[in-house]
Structure formats: C-alpha cells, structure tokens
Amino acid sequence: MPTPRSRFQRPTLDSAVAAWEGRVAPLLEDEPADPAGRRRVAARNDDTVSAALGIAPLPTASEEHTVPVDGHPDVRVRVYWPGEERAPAGSGLPVLVYFYGGGFTIAGIDWVSWDARFRVRARDAGIVIVAADYAHAPEQRFPAQPEQCWSAFEWTRAHAEELGASPERMAVGGASSGGDLAAAVTLMNRDRSAHPIVLQLLENPALDLTMGHADMRGIDARMPGVIVRAAGRTLVRQYLGEDSAVARLPYASPLRATSHERLPPALILTSELDPLRGDGEAYARALSAAGVPVTAMRFIGQTHGSLGSTGYVPAADVAHRLVVSELRTLHARGAA
C-alpha cells in the first residue's frame, strides 16, 4: 500500500519546466551585481533566448505615446491593437493597462519577450493593451513608478475612445513587480478618482515589500530561502531606499493597506515554487474578506517565471488560455 504523501514534503518541479530551464540555462550570460550592468546583460539574455526559442512579435498594430507625470519623469506607453490595423475610434473594445515585471530594476516593453506577449494577448482576447514603460530603480525610486503607472492609467481613460477602447471596460494588470504596481494603481484609483475598473489581473505579484508574506517552503534546495530573501531585500532597497518604513506604505505594499474594500474584481495567478506565492494568496484572502470578488489559482510545480514559457510548458499554455478567457469576458461587461 503506498505511503501517503506528507503535507510537509518538498514540492516537485514540473518536468517541463526542468527541461525548459535546461535548454535555456546554457544560453545565459552571468549578470553582474551593479544595477545598470545587470540590466544590460538581462536585456541581451532576453534577446538571445527569444531568438533561440523562435519568439517573435506578431505583426499587430501598435503606436507609442509619451505621458507626462506630475513631479516625476514622463512615462512612455505603447498601445497594442488586436489586429494589423488600428481599431477605429469609438470601437468600444475593452482595454487592459499592463505593467511588466522585472523586480523594479530590469526589463521593459522593448524586451522581445514582453512585446511578443502583449501582442499575442491583444490578438487572442480581442482587446486593446496599453503597456507602460515605467522607470527602473535605483535611478528612479518610489513613488516615481506608481505615479507613472497611475498617469498611464489616467491617460488611457482620457484617450480610450480615440484608441478604439471603452472607458467603461478598463482592466489593470501586471506581473511580479508590475503586479505590485497594478494593485497600487487600483488603490490610487479608489482613493483619488473612483473610475470604473472591471478587473485587476495579477500574475505572480509582489504585494508586500516587507517580505512578511514571502513563502520559502517551495524553493528548490539548491537555492536556500536565506539567499532568496537576501536577493529580494536588495531589490526592495534599490526601489524603496534605505528607510524600511516605506515598505509599509500601501502604494508600496498594497497587501498592507488598511482597507481593501471597493477594489476591482481580481484574477490572481500564483506558482507553487515561487516565494511570492504567499503574497498573491494572502492578497486574495484580503480581497475576499473585504467583499471583493476574487479568483486565485495556484499552478503546481511552477516557478516564478515559468508561466511565461508558452509553447514549451503546458501549464504556461493553460495560464495563457485562462487569462485570455477572462479578458474576453470584458467584451460583455460595463462599469462595475
């Protein structure tokens, strides 16, 4: 008779993720410690991996705009349409304002992997996506990034009709650090304007920068939790500075807001082997307790980045279909 699995047994990495990591690892340059150097090497790694895996942006329509931000650097946004032609003004399509992930210090809308993801999501869901290229830390620090993201959201709402989108069918989303910023924008909207947001989409989000909800139990034994925490704290300091009290501010750590009432319905994706799983799942509970409709899904055997590996990891393909299905429901929805 088989021995029942202990609930404390270390989770197992998905074999498809292990195969994908084995294919990609030899292609990567080691990243230096300094933020600017790390950013340059990470961008080259993205180019290299995208070329090796055949990742290329679809020929869908897009255009860029520069959005002014009061008291902070302007933010560049890129608008993506679902087809090869720009949607006519007044088309009333849903629009997703999205913030890329990169630990507040790397990545951006020019990375091939992110650009390709935005284009395929816009096409598959039949929506407009506005992606904000918020500033990197430590050159720019909090609160520049949430203010840039808020300005991108406000700009999108103000120009929705001319973009072929509807201001009554607006969603906000982000991954990892971008999930932190997306959740912050929903709080800022509640506090400042109360514009209708019909969905917040959070993918492996960082939501408590005190790291009080980080869950190290699923981390591979080759990467002890103490090392992961140290790396996380380094990124947080680069973003927030040396004052640890800043991490408790709600626009830095949305999970630590005093209230989560009157926030948009949420879809939250987490991964079993991601230390940020604790953030996403705690946020789902906080939203639910505040009366906010929320769906949270944990992907077993997945890591922080593996759900972006569509075409190579079956769970990533499922996550893509789930996100697209949820975004397609926005076509039938109006103001919350």
mmCIF file of all heavy atoms in Angstrom, residues 52-91:
data_model
loop_
_atom_site.group_PDB
_atom_site.id
_atom_site.type_symbol
_atom_site.label_atom_id
_atom_site.label_comp_id
_atom_site.label_asym_id
_atom_site.label_seq_id
_atom_site.Cartn_x
_atom_site.Cartn_y
_atom_site.Cartn_z
ATOM 1 N N ALA A 52 16.652 32.056 -29.811
ATOM 2 C CA ALA A 52 16.847 30.612 -29.781
ATOM 3 C C ALA A 52 15.525 29.861 -29.760
ATOM 4 O O ALA A 52 15.407 28.768 -30.335
ATOM 5 C CB ALA A 52 17.690 30.226 -28.572
ATOM 6 N N LEU A 53 14.531 30.420 -29.096
ATOM 7 C CA LEU A 53 13.238 29.757 -28.966
ATOM 8 C C LEU A 53 12.240 30.167 -30.049
ATOM 9 O O LEU A 53 11.099 29.707 -30.054
ATOM 10 C CB LEU A 53 12.642 30.036 -27.586
ATOM 11 C CG LEU A 53 13.460 29.560 -26.383
ATOM 12 C CD1 LEU A 53 12.706 29.847 -25.084
ATOM 13 C CD2 LEU A 53 13.800 28.081 -26.482
ATOM 14 N N GLY A 54 12.651 31.043 -30.931
ATOM 15 C CA GLY A 54 11.764 31.465 -32.010
ATOM 16 C C GLY A 54 10.651 32.390 -31.576
ATOM 17 O O GLY A 54 9.596 32.450 -32.222
ATOM 18 N N ILE A 55 10.882 33.140 -30.486
ATOM 19 C CA ILE A 55 9.881 34.093 -30.013
ATOM 20 C C ILE A 55 10.011 35.375 -30.816
ATOM 21 O O ILE A 55 11.069 36.002 -30.843
ATOM 22 C CB ILE A 55 10.065 34.388 -28.516
ATOM 23 C CG1 ILE A 55 9.865 33.109 -27.700
ATOM 24 C CG2 ILE A 55 9.105 35.477 -28.048
ATOM 25 C CD1 ILE A 55 10.244 33.247 -26.244
ATOM 26 N N ALA A 56 8.947 35.772 -31.484
ATOM 27 C CA ALA A 56 8.966 36.984 -32.291
ATOM 28 C C ALA A 56 7.605 37.665 -32.199
ATOM 29 O O ALA A 56 6.569 36.996 -32.206
ATOM 30 C CB ALA A 56 9.285 36.659 -33.748
ATOM 31 N N PRO A 57 7.587 38.988 -32.103
ATOM 32 C CA PRO A 57 6.315 39.705 -32.005
ATOM 33 C C PRO A 57 5.454 39.533 -33.253
ATOM 34 O O PRO A 57 5.958 39.506 -34.382
ATOM 35 C CB PRO A 57 6.746 41.165 -31.824
ATOM 36 C CG PRO A 57 8.141 41.091 -31.279
ATOM 37 C CD PRO A 57 8.741 39.884 -31.929
ATOM 38 N N LEU A 58 4.157 39.403 -33.044
ATOM 39 C CA LEU A 58 3.209 39.356 -34.160
ATOM 40 C C LEU A 58 3.154 40.711 -34.866
ATOM 41 O O LEU A 58 3.422 41.749 -34.259
ATOM 42 C CB LEU A 58 1.814 39.017 -33.630
ATOM 43 C CG LEU A 58 1.613 37.640 -33.019
ATOM 44 C CD1 LEU A 58 0.253 37.588 -32.324
ATOM 45 C CD2 LEU A 58 1.705 36.561 -34.076
ATOM 46 N N PRO A 59 2.759 40.719 -36.134
ATOM 47 C CA PRO A 59 2.656 41.985 -36.871
ATOM 48 C C PRO A 59 1.339 42.713 -36.588
ATOM 49 O O PRO A 59 0.586 43.077 -37.502
ATOM 50 C CB PRO A 59 2.745 41.538 -38.331
ATOM 51 C CG PRO A 59 2.114 40.177 -38.329
ATOM 52 C CD PRO A 59 2.513 39.552 -37.016
ATOM 53 N N THR A 60 1.032 42.910 -35.300
ATOM 54 C CA THR A 60 -0.181 43.638 -34.940
ATOM 55 C C THR A 60 0.119 45.128 -34.826
ATOM 56 O O THR A 60 1.269 45.532 -34.630
ATOM 57 C CB THR A 60 -0.745 43.122 -33.603
ATOM 58 O OG1 THR A 60 0.282 43.168 -32.616
ATOM 59 C CG2 THR A 60 -1.248 41.694 -33.738
ATOM 60 N N ALA A 61 -0.913 45.941 -34.934
ATOM 61 C CA ALA A 61 -0.741 47.390 -34.914
ATOM 62 C C ALA A 61 -0.347 47.866 -33.521
ATOM 63 O O ALA A 61 -0.836 47.351 -32.510
ATOM 64 C CB ALA A 61 -2.042 48.070 -35.349
ATOM 65 N N SER A 62 0.528 48.866 -33.487
ATOM 66 C CA SER A 62 0.917 49.471 -32.210
ATOM 67 C C SER A 62 1.385 50.890 -32.461
ATOM 68 O O SER A 62 1.758 51.249 -33.594
ATOM 69 C CB SER A 62 2.027 48.658 -31.525
ATOM 70 O OG SER A 62 3.211 48.675 -32.296
ATOM 71 N N GLU A 63 1.375 51.697 -31.421
ATOM 72 C CA GLU A 63 1.945 53.039 -31.502
ATOM 73 C C GLU A 63 2.338 53.487 -30.102
ATOM 74 O O GLU A 63 1.832 52.973 -29.099
ATOM 75 C CB GLU A 63 0.959 54.031 -32.138
ATOM 76 C CG GLU A 63 -0.257 54.347 -31.318
ATOM 77 C CD GLU A 63 -1.199 55.333 -32.013
ATOM 78 O OE1 GLU A 63 -1.233 55.339 -33.262
ATOM 79 O OE2 GLU A 63 -1.917 56.071 -31.312
ATOM 80 N N GLU A 64 3.261 54.444 -30.045
ATOM 81 C CA GLU A 64 3.786 54.896 -28.756
ATOM 82 C C GLU A 64 3.390 56.336 -28.465
ATOM 83 O O GLU A 64 3.219 57.147 -29.375
ATOM 84 C CB GLU A 64 5.307 54.760 -28.729
ATOM 85 C CG GLU A 64 5.764 53.316 -28.786
ATOM 86 C CD GLU A 64 7.263 53.155 -28.590
ATOM 87 O OE1 GLU A 64 7.942 54.166 -28.251
ATOM 88 O OE2 GLU A 64 7.766 52.029 -28.770
ATOM 89 N N HIS A 65 3.293 56.613 -27.169
ATOM 90 C CA HIS A 65 2.981 57.958 -26.694
ATOM 91 C C HIS A 65 3.829 58.238 -25.463
ATOM 92 O O HIS A 65 4.228 57.312 -24.750
ATOM 93 C CB HIS A 65 1.497 58.085 -26.342
ATOM 94 C CG HIS A 65 0.576 57.876 -27.493
ATOM 95 N ND1 HIS A 65 0.105 58.908 -28.271
ATOM 96 C CD2 HIS A 65 0.038 56.736 -28.009
ATOM 97 C CE1 HIS A 65 -0.681 58.417 -29.214
ATOM 98 N NE2 HIS A 65 -0.749 57.103 -29.075
ATOM 99 N N THR A 66 4.079 59.497 -25.217
ATOM 100 C CA THR A 66 4.759 59.920 -24.004
ATOM 101 C C THR A 66 3.759 60.630 -23.113
ATOM 102 O O THR A 66 3.105 61.582 -23.540
ATOM 103 C CB THR A 66 5.942 60.847 -24.314
ATOM 104 O OG1 THR A 66 6.889 60.129 -25.124
ATOM 105 C CG2 THR A 66 6.634 61.297 -23.036
ATOM 106 N N VAL A 67 3.641 60.143 -21.883
ATOM 107 C CA VAL A 67 2.638 60.643 -20.948
ATOM 108 C C VAL A 67 3.338 61.457 -19.860
ATOM 109 O O VAL A 67 4.248 60.948 -19.199
ATOM 110 C CB VAL A 67 1.851 59.482 -20.317
ATOM 111 C CG1 VAL A 67 0.859 59.990 -19.277
ATOM 112 C CG2 VAL A 67 1.140 58.667 -21.405
ATOM 113 N N PRO A 68 2.942 62.706 -19.650
ATOM 114 C CA PRO A 68 3.540 63.490 -18.565
ATOM 115 C C PRO A 68 3.104 62.978 -17.200
ATOM 116 O O PRO A 68 1.981 62.491 -17.031
ATOM 117 C CB PRO A 68 3.019 64.903 -18.830
ATOM 118 C CG PRO A 68 1.756 64.713 -19.609
ATOM 119 C CD PRO A 68 1.948 63.471 -20.422
ATOM 120 N N VAL A 69 4.006 63.085 -16.232
ATOM 121 C CA VAL A 69 3.754 62.633 -14.862
ATOM 122 C C VAL A 69 4.103 63.775 -13.928
ATOM 123 O O VAL A 69 5.244 64.246 -13.914
ATOM 124 C CB VAL A 69 4.590 61.388 -14.514
ATOM 125 C CG1 VAL A 69 4.273 60.894 -13.109
ATOM 126 C CG2 VAL A 69 4.355 60.281 -15.550
ATOM 127 N N ASP A 70 3.144 64.221 -13.159
ATOM 128 C CA ASP A 70 3.352 65.364 -12.276
ATOM 129 C C ASP A 70 4.429 65.059 -11.233
ATOM 130 O O ASP A 70 4.292 64.135 -10.430
ATOM 131 C CB ASP A 70 2.034 65.718 -11.577
ATOM 132 C CG ASP A 70 2.128 67.020 -10.791
ATOM 133 O OD1 ASP A 70 2.990 67.853 -11.122
ATOM 134 O OD2 ASP A 70 1.345 67.187 -9.838
ATOM 135 N N GLY A 71 5.521 65.821 -11.258
ATOM 136 C CA GLY A 71 6.567 65.691 -10.261
ATOM 137 C C GLY A 71 7.539 64.552 -10.484
ATOM 138 O O GLY A 71 8.440 64.338 -9.663
ATOM 139 N N HIS A 72 7.382 63.823 -11.590
ATOM 140 C CA HIS A 72 8.244 62.661 -11.861
ATOM 141 C C HIS A 72 8.518 62.592 -13.364
ATOM 142 O O HIS A 72 7.860 63.275 -14.160
ATOM 143 C CB HIS A 72 7.574 61.374 -11.379
ATOM 144 C CG HIS A 72 7.287 61.365 -9.915
ATOM 145 N ND1 HIS A 72 8.258 61.131 -8.959
ATOM 146 C CD2 HIS A 72 6.132 61.594 -9.223
ATOM 147 C CE1 HIS A 72 7.725 61.202 -7.768
ATOM 148 N NE2 HIS A 72 6.434 61.473 -7.888
ATOM 149 N N PRO A 73 9.478 61.757 -13.790
ATOM 150 C CA PRO A 73 9.765 61.652 -15.226
ATOM 151 C C PRO A 73 8.552 61.191 -16.028
ATOM 152 O O PRO A 73 7.716 60.419 -15.535
ATOM 153 C CB PRO A 73 10.888 60.613 -15.282
ATOM 154 C CG PRO A 73 11.537 60.663 -13.934
ATOM 155 C CD PRO A 73 10.421 60.962 -12.975
ATOM 156 N N ASP A 74 8.461 61.690 -17.263
ATOM 157 C CA ASP A 74 7.421 61.219 -18.175
ATOM 158 C C ASP A 74 7.516 59.708 -18.325
ATOM 159 O O ASP A 74 8.578 59.103 -18.131
ATOM 160 C CB ASP A 74 7.587 61.852 -19.556
ATOM 161 C CG ASP A 74 7.398 63.362 -19.535
ATOM 162 O OD1 ASP A 74 6.891 63.889 -18.528
ATOM 163 O OD2 ASP A 74 7.779 64.004 -20.540
ATOM 164 N N VAL A 75 6.414 59.085 -18.720
ATOM 165 C CA VAL A 75 6.410 57.647 -18.945
ATOM 166 C C VAL A 75 5.967 57.359 -20.379
ATOM 167 O O VAL A 75 5.027 57.970 -20.894
ATOM 168 C CB VAL A 75 5.501 56.914 -17.928
ATOM 169 C CG1 VAL A 75 4.041 57.348 -18.059
ATOM 170 C CG2 VAL A 75 5.636 55.405 -18.069
ATOM 171 N N ARG A 76 6.701 56.460 -21.020
ATOM 172 C CA ARG A 76 6.358 56.035 -22.381
ATOM 173 C C ARG A 76 5.355 54.890 -22.297
ATOM 174 O O ARG A 76 5.492 53.983 -21.453
ATOM 175 C CB ARG A 76 7.625 55.571 -23.099
ATOM 176 C CG ARG A 76 7.426 55.129 -24.546
ATOM 177 C CD ARG A 76 8.779 54.962 -25.234
ATOM 178 N NE ARG A 76 9.600 53.988 -24.544
ATOM 179 C CZ ARG A 76 9.954 52.790 -25.040
ATOM 180 N NH1 ARG A 76 9.528 52.437 -26.242
ATOM 181 N NH2 ARG A 76 10.724 51.984 -24.365
ATOM 182 N N VAL A 77 4.347 54.933 -23.135
ATOM 183 C CA VAL A 77 3.383 53.836 -23.209
ATOM 184 C C VAL A 77 3.310 53.353 -24.647
ATOM 185 O O VAL A 77 3.509 54.120 -25.593
ATOM 186 C CB VAL A 77 1.978 54.246 -22.712
ATOM 187 C CG1 VAL A 77 2.021 54.716 -21.269
ATOM 188 C CG2 VAL A 77 1.355 55.301 -23.604
ATOM 189 N N ARG A 78 3.037 52.075 -24.799
ATOM 190 C CA ARG A 78 2.830 51.502 -26.132
ATOM 191 C C ARG A 78 1.428 50.905 -26.172
ATOM 192 O O ARG A 78 1.049 50.114 -25.297
ATOM 193 C CB ARG A 78 3.875 50.438 -26.443
ATOM 194 C CG ARG A 78 3.749 49.864 -27.874
ATOM 195 C CD ARG A 78 4.870 48.886 -28.179
ATOM 196 N NE ARG A 78 6.150 49.569 -28.194
ATOM 197 C CZ ARG A 78 7.302 49.009 -27.810
ATOM 198 N NH1 ARG A 78 7.315 47.767 -27.360
ATOM 199 N NH2 ARG A 78 8.425 49.695 -27.865
ATOM 200 N N VAL A 79 0.672 51.297 -27.180
ATOM 201 C CA VAL A 79 -0.698 50.804 -27.375
ATOM 202 C C VAL A 79 -0.663 49.670 -28.381
ATOM 203 O O VAL A 79 -0.052 49.794 -29.457
ATOM 204 C CB VAL A 79 -1.622 51.927 -27.876
ATOM 205 C CG1 VAL A 79 -3.057 51.422 -27.991
ATOM 206 C CG2 VAL A 79 -1.541 53.151 -26.971
ATOM 207 N N TYR A 80 -1.298 48.556 -28.029
ATOM 208 C CA TYR A 80 -1.382 47.387 -28.908
ATOM 209 C C TYR A 80 -2.839 47.146 -29.268
ATOM 210 O O TYR A 80 -3.710 47.126 -28.388
ATOM 211 C CB TYR A 80 -0.859 46.138 -28.197
ATOM 212 C CG TYR A 80 0.598 46.183 -27.798
ATOM 213 C CD1 TYR A 80 0.988 46.706 -26.566
ATOM 214 C CD2 TYR A 80 1.586 45.671 -28.641
ATOM 215 C CE1 TYR A 80 2.322 46.719 -26.187
ATOM 216 C CE2 TYR A 80 2.922 45.691 -28.271
ATOM 217 C CZ TYR A 80 3.283 46.219 -27.044
ATOM 218 O OH TYR A 80 4.609 46.244 -26.663
ATOM 219 N N TRP A 81 -3.088 46.928 -30.559
ATOM 220 C CA TRP A 81 -4.428 46.571 -31.016
ATOM 221 C C TRP A 81 -4.465 45.103 -31.405
ATOM 222 O O TRP A 81 -3.413 44.494 -31.687
ATOM 223 C CB TRP A 81 -4.832 47.454 -32.186
ATOM 224 C CG TRP A 81 -5.177 48.844 -31.762
ATOM 225 C CD1 TRP A 81 -6.367 49.276 -31.253
ATOM 226 C CD2 TRP A 81 -4.316 49.995 -31.775
ATOM 227 N NE1 TRP A 81 -6.303 50.616 -30.957
ATOM 228 C CE2 TRP A 81 -5.061 51.095 -31.268
ATOM 229 C CE3 TRP A 81 -2.995 50.215 -32.172
ATOM 230 C CZ2 TRP A 81 -4.535 52.370 -31.145
ATOM 231 C CZ3 TRP A 81 -2.460 51.488 -32.053
ATOM 232 C CH2 TRP A 81 -3.227 52.553 -31.538
ATOM 233 N N PRO A 82 -5.653 44.503 -31.442
ATOM 234 C CA PRO A 82 -5.737 43.060 -31.691
ATOM 235 C C PRO A 82 -5.452 42.638 -33.131
ATOM 236 O O PRO A 82 -5.166 41.469 -33.381
ATOM 237 C CB PRO A 82 -7.167 42.708 -31.285
ATOM 238 C CG PRO A 82 -7.919 43.988 -31.358
ATOM 239 C CD PRO A 82 -6.942 45.064 -31.025
ATOM 240 N N GLY A 83 -5.541 43.573 -34.073
ATOM 241 C CA GLY A 83 -5.311 43.232 -35.472
ATOM 242 C C GLY A 83 -4.176 44.032 -36.070
ATOM 243 O O GLY A 83 -3.499 44.812 -35.390
ATOM 244 N N GLU A 84 -3.976 43.869 -37.349
ATOM 245 C CA GLU A 84 -2.883 44.554 -38.035
ATOM 246 C C GLU A 84 -3.212 46.012 -38.335
ATOM 247 O O GLU A 84 -2.332 46.772 -38.737
ATOM 248 C CB GLU A 84 -2.514 43.809 -39.321
ATOM 249 C CG GLU A 84 -1.954 42.423 -39.048
ATOM 250 C CD GLU A 84 -1.394 41.747 -40.285
ATOM 251 O OE1 GLU A 84 -1.100 42.464 -41.261
ATOM 252 O OE2 GLU A 84 -1.257 40.517 -40.272
ATOM 253 N N GLU A 85 -4.453 46.396 -38.121
ATOM 254 C CA GLU A 85 -4.860 47.784 -38.292
ATOM 255 C C GLU A 85 -5.309 48.353 -36.954
ATOM 256 O O GLU A 85 -5.876 47.644 -36.119
ATOM 257 C CB GLU A 85 -6.005 47.899 -39.314
ATOM 258 C CG GLU A 85 -5.674 47.369 -40.698
ATOM 259 C CD GLU A 85 -4.622 48.220 -41.397
ATOM 260 O OE1 GLU A 85 -4.552 49.427 -41.095
ATOM 261 O OE2 GLU A 85 -3.890 47.669 -42.244
ATOM 262 N N ARG A 86 -5.068 49.623 -36.778
ATOM 263 C CA ARG A 86 -5.513 50.330 -35.578
ATOM 264 C C ARG A 86 -7.040 50.284 -35.503
ATOM 265 O O ARG A 86 -7.727 50.514 -36.507
ATOM 266 C CB ARG A 86 -5.033 51.776 -35.698
ATOM 267 C CG ARG A 86 -5.147 52.626 -34.462
ATOM 268 C CD ARG A 86 -4.730 54.041 -34.846
ATOM 269 N NE ARG A 86 -4.455 54.898 -33.709
ATOM 270 C CZ ARG A 86 -5.368 55.542 -32.998
ATOM 271 N NH1 ARG A 86 -6.647 55.400 -33.308
ATOM 272 N NH2 ARG A 86 -5.011 56.322 -31.989
ATOM 273 N N ALA A 87 -7.604 49.976 -34.337
ATOM 274 C CA ALA A 87 -9.062 49.946 -34.201
ATOM 275 C C ALA A 87 -9.628 51.349 -34.400
ATOM 276 O O ALA A 87 -9.067 52.323 -33.886
ATOM 277 C CB ALA A 87 -9.458 49.417 -32.835
ATOM 278 N N PRO A 88 -10.708 51.489 -35.133
ATOM 279 C CA PRO A 88 -11.302 52.816 -35.325
ATOM 280 C C PRO A 88 -11.745 53.432 -34.012
ATOM 281 O O PRO A 88 -12.140 52.722 -33.074
ATOM 282 C CB PRO A 88 -12.508 52.532 -36.237
ATOM 283 C CG PRO A 88 -12.223 51.213 -36.877
ATOM 284 C CD PRO A 88 -11.434 50.439 -35.871
ATOM 285 N N ALA A 89 -11.669 54.723 -33.934
ATOM 286 C CA ALA A 89 -12.156 55.430 -32.748
ATOM 287 C C ALA A 89 -13.607 55.054 -32.483
ATOM 288 O O ALA A 89 -14.411 54.917 -33.423
ATOM 289 C CB ALA A 89 -12.016 56.932 -32.940
ATOM 290 N N GLY A 90 -13.938 54.886 -31.213
ATOM 291 C CA GLY A 90 -15.306 54.555 -30.847
ATOM 292 C C GLY A 90 -15.664 53.094 -30.983
ATOM 293 O O GLY A 90 -16.845 52.739 -30.869
ATOM 294 N N SER A 91 -14.685 52.215 -31.199
ATOM 295 C CA SER A 91 -14.983 50.782 -31.355
ATOM 296 C C SER A 91 -15.449 50.138 -30.056
ATOM 297 O O SER A 91 -16.072 49.074 -30.077
ATOM 298 C CB SER A 91 -13.748 50.043 -31.875
ATOM 299 O OG SER A 91 -13.393 50.478 -33.175
#
